Amino acid sequence: MKNLLFILFLACSIQANAEITMPVTFGDGMVLQRNMPIRIFGEATDGANITVRLNGQEKTAVSQGGNWLLNLDEIPAGGPYELVIIGDGDTIRFKDVMIGEVWFAGGQSNMAFNLENCIDFEKYLPTAENPKLRFLQIPLTEFGPINTNGLQWKNFDKNTVRGFSAVAYFFATELQERLGVTVGIIGSYRGGTWNENWMTPNSIKNTPELKYLFEKYDREYAKYKDEADYEQTYQQYLIDLKNWKANGGWSSGQAPMAPAGPKAYQRPSGLYESMIKPLQPYTIKGCIWYQGEGNSSRHEEFKTLFPAFIEGWRKSWQNPELPFYFVQLPAYGKGSTWPQFRQAQLECFVKIPHCGMVVSEGCGDEKDIHPKVKKPIGDRLGIAISAEVYKQPHVPYGPQVKKVNYYKNKAKVSFDYCDNGLVLSETNIDSFEISGEDKKFRVAQIEIKGNTLYIWNNEVQRPKYIRYAYRPYPQMVLFNKEGLPASPFTTEK
């Protein structure tokens, strides 16, 4: 009888302890999104009663199937506060919590590019710690749970930001100066990736043109006899990768690829599952994104893939109008298909609602796929987002083609985002081209009248197509009076 009572007491004690586990995005010093319902969520013993307190609010939830979620009411910018989460026998306290603007920064190597690798980075370092600029850098996680050792929200200072994304750093700095509130950045990125690595599984499977990605993966993984066979191949890959790094890394050639399987970060949705899904649905204002090098040879497919990618993220972040701003690929001499890819990016920008694109003029390198100039990109993201998302009264972008008319032997091009007029940074240029039906493009003469551009070549009597900066390493010379660059473009189909 005593043993039975002891077992019942033990069972009740276990049930009484909620054993609350919080996602990696929650921690001391975190930033929560202002002026939006704030999702607080985590794991706890099934049936546990959860109470959350913040800034005078108290909300409750019950853990179902081991998970719980509740929404706090909107809170204006402010802090620091203490976020208290109470379960049956368990209490977690997060201190120095700020309410401000939260943005996610993702992509591949040029988003991952550290501030300390930029040219003259020292002059951009903070002169003092800035508690109104904070970041959380998610460690590279190819499979399995995220390593939380040492993972914490950090204030921007001259030491912490050196290893953080340069683009995200410059963006956050620009945005904070414009808004005056605390800005928090969650950075989760990985070099050498394709867009499909970051997509939700459903966004791939529900898009007919993309189903082949999982079908190809399944075929390649099925080649292994069993898990032991796969693991042996994977261990050999780790040896090859170590040798590749020892021999100079990228300077020695292409990196070895992980074998298709559950440990390969290149698998479809692989990095979404390991580096994005564990963060969701933390309340964020929007996303900035710098990726595409890996997909540049599949530029036509990208026109379908990228909208599906964004739609999938909007569902998984639980915001159908989530602002999504991305970087157009810069000039690069070896990017033979980059002109077509930049055009695909431009078309996605025009097509996808609540979406923006910044042009990376001045931020390319003819020989290096990882240019060392990032500040203009971060600044332009801050300019575009502060204008469109936060409704500040300034021009968000450089000139964007609105309409092209042909008369006699000239093309008349009108633009948006240049009410104050167009500007050329140089005059002795060959960036503008024109052709007839034969698509034999010739360097064009140009004339600017206000916000209209006239293009012609006397050898082309019946012009039908024009293009601008449509080369791997183009000379981008067209700006508005505000100093923002026009995107490369072509009108040929």
Side-chain angles (χ1 to χ4, degrees):
M1 183 65 178
K2 290 182 180 180
N3 288 339
L4 179 59
L5 290 173
F6 175 76
I7 292 171
L8 290 172
F9 171 78
L10 182 61
C12 291
S13 298
I14 294 173
Q15 186 176 7
N17 190 344
E19 297 180 358
I20 301 171
T21 301
M22 298 300 294
V24 297
T25 41
F26 289 82
D28 293 340
M30 66 181 168
V31 184
L32 298 174
Q33 178 60 43
R34 66 169 174 163
N35 301 335
M36 291 174 64
I38 301 171
R39 287 184 289 268
I40 309 295
F41 57 99
E43 299 177 356
T45 306
D46 191 30
N49 296 298
I50 306 295
T51 300
V52 174
R53 296 172 183 159
L54 176 67
N55 190 32
Q57 290 191 51
E58 180 173 302
K59 296 289 182 78
T60 61
V62 177
S63 177
Q64 298 181 352
N67 297 292
W68 59 271
L69 180 149
L70 57 79
N71 288 311
L72 295 176
D73 297 336
E74 298 179 12
I75 303 175
Y81 301 115
E82 181 180 62
L83 173 65
V84 181
I85 302 166
I86 304 170
D88 298 330
D90 194 6
T91 300
I92 298 176
R93 298 177 183 272
F94 296 118
K95 301 182 183 299
D96 189 29
V97 176
M98 298 298 292
I99 310 296
E101 292 299 317
V102 184
W103 282 80
F104 173 88
Q108 59 179 109
S109 52
N110 275 306
M111 180 62 86
F113 195 90
N114 293 341
L115 177 62
E116 65 181 357
N117 290 325
C118 290
I119 295 173
D120 296 331
F121 80 93
E122 293 93 345
K123 69 181 182 182
Y124 302 118
L125 292 173
T127 56
E129 182 177 3
N130 189 347
K132 285 197 169 183
L133 282 167
R134 306 182 177 197
F135 70 93
L136 178 70
Q137 184 167 339
I138 305 302
L140 196 155
T141 308
E142 297 186 353
F143 58 89
I146 293 171
N147 183 0
T148 58
N149 291 334
L151 181 60
Q152 64 185 84
W153 283 87
K154 298 177 181 179
N155 294 342
F156 280 25
D157 66 38
K158 64 180 180 180
N159 295 315
T160 59
V161 298
R162 290 170 179 258
F164 190 52
S165 162
V167 168
Y169 169 77
F170 289 123
F171 161 70
T173 302
E174 178 75 17
L175 191 66
Q176 200 280 324
E177 288 178 357
R178 289 177 175 272
L179 301 182
V181 303
T182 301
V183 172
I185 304 291
I186 300 172
S188 188
Y189 31 72
R190 206 257 189 229
T193 57
W194 303 308
N195 207 151
E196 56 265 30
N197 307 144
W198 301 98
M199 296 178 70
T200 66
N202 284 341
S203 63
I204 296 176
K205 294 175 181 178
N206 294 339
T207 305
E209 298 91 334
L210 303 177
K211 285 182 178 180
Y212 80 92
L213 293 168
F214 270 112
E215 293 170 354
K216 179 183 177 183
Y217 167 80
D218 291 340
R219 287 195 304 271
E220 292 178 352
Y221 184 45
K223 295 177 182 177
Y224 300 100
K225 295 181 294 185
D226 50 32
E227 290 184 12
D229 185 26
Y230 173 76
E231 184 62 26
Q232 182 179 1
T233 306
Y234 183 78
Q235 291 302 318
Q236 181 59 51
Y237 153 74
L238 294 180
I239 295 172
D240 295 341
L241 183 63
K242 182 178 179 180
N243 293 335
W244 174 79
K245 291 178 179 179
N247 291 327
W250 290 107
S251 63
S252 66
Q254 192 71 24
M257 297 279 286
K263 291 186 176 182
Y265 72 86
Q266 303 101 327
R267 66 195 185 280
S269 302
L271 292 174
Y272 169 79
E273 296 285 357
S274 61
M275 295 184 68
I276 305 300
K277 188 176 180 180
L279 318 179
Q280 297 175 330
Y282 195 85
T283 305
I284 61 173
K285 185 66 174 183
C287 300
I288 60 171
W289 183 256
Y290 191 164
Q291 191 277 334
E293 298 91 340
N295 292 81
S296 59
S297 64
R298 293 181 281 143
H299 44 84
E300 197 62 34
E301 177 188 80
F302 185 80
K303 298 175 187 178
T304 300
L305 183 147
F306 198 59
F309 162 60
I310 293 177
E311 181 183 2
W313 272 34
R314 286 174 171 167
K315 289 179 180 177
S316 58
W317 284 108
Q318 298 184 16
N319 183 352
E321 298 182 352
L322 181 74
F324 198 102
Y325 285 72
F326 65 96
V327 179
Q328 188 181 52
L329 290 190
Y332 175 52
K334 298 179 182 179
S336 61
T337 58
W338 286 30
Q340 295 92 329
F341 190 79
R342 292 188 200 106
Q343 180 68 22
Q345 288 181 302
L346 177 60
E347 292 177 20
C348 286
F349 163 46
V350 173
K351 173 183 176 182
I352 303 171
H354 311 293
C355 186
M357 182 190 78
V358 298
V359 178
S360 51
E361 177 277 332
C363 302
D365 189 295
E366 188 170 9
K367 297 180 180 179
D368 192 348
I369 199 171
H370 301 120
K372 295 178 174 57
V373 176
K374 303 295 186 192
K375 189 176 189 303
I377 293 174
D379 290 349
R380 289 167 191 163
L381 284 166
I383 291 168
I385 287 169
S386 60
E388 293 195 322
V389 177
Y390 299 101
K391 308 305 179 185
Q392 292 191 350
H394 59 262
V395 177
Y397 305 110
Q400 181 183 329
V401 175
K402 178 169 63 176
K403 191 175 182 180
V404 180
N405 289 322
Y406 297 94
Y407 71 99
K408 297 183 179 178
N409 68 331
K410 289 187 178 181
K412 178 184 177 182
V413 190
S414 57
F415 294 84
D416 287 323
Y417 306 119
C418 59
D419 289 347
N420 295 323
L422 296 167
V423 176
L424 289 177
S425 61
E426 296 183 39
T427 55
N428 186 21
I429 51 173
D430 60 0
S431 300
F432 297 90
E433 298 173 283
I434 192 167
S435 84
E437 184 74 38
D438 59 4
K439 296 186 180 181
K440 292 181 180 179
F441 283 89
R442 294 170 172 82
V443 174
Q445 295 175 272
I446 60 170
E447 181 183 11
I448 290 176
K449 292 183 179 181
N451 61 358
T452 302
L453 181 70
Y454 293 87
I455 303 177
W456 75 94
N457 181 302
N458 291 331
E459 295 180 12
V460 181
Q461 293 301 308
R462 293 179 176 272
K464 186 167 184 178
Y465 305 108
I466 59 170
R467 61 190 189 189
Y468 161 69
Y470 200 71
R471 299 169 187 171
Y473 191 73
Q475 190 177 11
M476 301 185 203
V477 296
L478 185 62
F479 297 78
N480 56 20
K481 285 285 181 69
E482 290 76 13
L484 297 172
S487 166
F489 69 85
T490 181
T491 63
E492 65 178 315
K493 300 296 182 183

